[in-house]
Amino acid sequence: MARNIQSLERAAAMLRLLAGGERRLGLSDVASSLGLAKGTAHGILRTLQAEGFVEQDPASGRYQLGAELLRLGNSYLDVHELRARALVWTDDLARASGESVYVGVLHQSGVLIMHHVFRPDDSRQVLEVGAMQPLHSTALGKVLSAYDPVAHTQALEVERDAFTPRTTTDPVGFEEILGLTRARGWAADVEETWEGIASVAAPIHDRRRMPVGAVAVAGAVERVCGEDGEPRAALVASVRDCARSVSRDLGAGRF
């Protein structure tokens, strides 16, 4: 049986201690409550402080929980609420479009697929929940990069690989794509990530009107796109309607 890492156990115990009882605790209080030497407790507190999980009051020197924990907690709640709100609408979108539907969120420097509805046919398919997609070439990634400043920064900072001859990798061209995405409210990926595959995505907003994810339809190019090579207008409208419906359920109101 694998052994737990003692330093992580102590850090977790410290966060739980700070989460209960008094709002702020001094070094001696933390050390004595957890049965630790002051030097050990101080080292853990300093590490947690550097990561934003703990804050120290400059006047009293006492410690309290940091803002980073609130951000992580809100992200956890947002992702789970997003999936719950998206279930019905994405099922409807898959049935109406006849294609696979994905909901993605920003994670590290990519798009995390947190919900996937299979294409409604008898073909063999693989569940892609938990898979990562690039920000710069996928429709989901372009939408997130266009509307989320954090995603935008990360997309520009990472190396943008050319997955196919159609992939845009230079920063100027990428910025032009993001500008177009914001102007029309949706993004496309026509064989920019996978040969023969096209997708269309639109942003999902929460009650604060902040982008919390994106929804996309993906399938074979000949089904997603028309004879002009552009995504079919009816499909684009369906994806945008789905995104607006999920956004409304999250309290965003009308867009």
Side-chain angles (χ1 to χ4, degrees), residues 141-217:
K142 292 175 190 177
V143 164
L144 292 175
S145 299
Y147 288 90
D148 186 337
V150 176
H152 179 229
T153 299
Q154 292 181 352
L156 290 175
E157 288 180 347
V158 300
E159 184 176 351
R160 291 175 297 280
D161 296 327
F163 301 110
T164 77
R166 291 174 173 263
T167 309
T168 299
T169 59
D170 68 283
V172 174
F174 184 61
E175 289 286 11
E176 290 177 353
I177 290 173
L178 299 188
L180 177 61
T181 298
R182 286 186 288 267
R184 62 188 185 182
W186 57 276
D189 164 11
V190 181
E191 296 189 283
E192 295 172 55
T193 311
W194 301 281
E195 296 281 358
I197 301 296
S199 63
V200 177
I204 298 172
H205 297 80
D206 66 4
R207 62 184 62 87
R208 299 161 295 179
R209 297 296 183 98
M210 297 294 292
V212 292
V215 60
V217 157

Side-chain angles (χ1 to χ4, degrees), residues 28-67:
S28 297
D29 300 322
V30 173
S32 61
S33 296
L34 299 179
L36 300 174
K38 280 189 177 181
T40 301
H42 185 250
I44 296 173
L45 284 168
R46 289 295 298 272
T47 301
L48 292 173
Q49 183 180 1
E51 296 297 327
F53 297 135
V54 164
E55 295 174 356
Q56 186 179 30
D57 180 63
S60 67
R62 290 175 172 267
Y63 294 90
Q64 65 181 21
L65 295 180

Side-chain angles (χ1 to χ4, degrees), residues 61-182:
R62 290 175 172 267
Y63 294 90
Q64 65 181 21
L65 295 180
E68 182 66 11
L69 283 175
L70 177 62
R71 188 189 71 80
L72 291 177
N74 284 339
S75 296
Y76 175 86
L77 294 175
D78 284 348
V79 166
H80 284 265
E81 184 181 7
L82 172 58
R83 184 179 185 279
R85 299 294 185 181
L87 288 175
V88 173
W89 299 110
T90 50
D91 282 350
D92 288 347
L93 178 59
R95 283 193 294 269
S97 66
E99 303 294 348
S100 300
V101 176
Y102 301 88
V103 177
V105 297
L106 176 66
H107 180 67
Q108 296 176 351
S109 297
V111 183
L112 173 67
I113 302 302
M114 45 81 66
H115 184 54
H116 174 199
V117 183
F118 283 163
R119 184 172 63 253
D121 59 20
D122 296 328
S123 63
R124 183 178 180 181
Q125 300 172 64
V126 177
L127 186 66
E128 295 186 40
V129 171
M132 293 292 294
Q133 294 186 1
L135 285 170
H136 69 285
S137 62
T138 62
L140 287 170
K142 292 175 190 177
V143 164
L144 292 175
S145 299
Y147 288 90
D148 186 337
V150 176
H152 179 229
T153 299
Q154 292 181 352
L156 290 175
E157 288 180 347
V158 300
E159 184 176 351
R160 291 175 297 280
D161 296 327
F163 301 110
T164 77
R166 291 174 173 263
T167 309
T168 299
T169 59
D170 68 283
V172 174
F174 184 61
E175 289 286 11
E176 290 177 353
I177 290 173
L178 299 188
L180 177 61
T181 298
R182 286 186 288 267

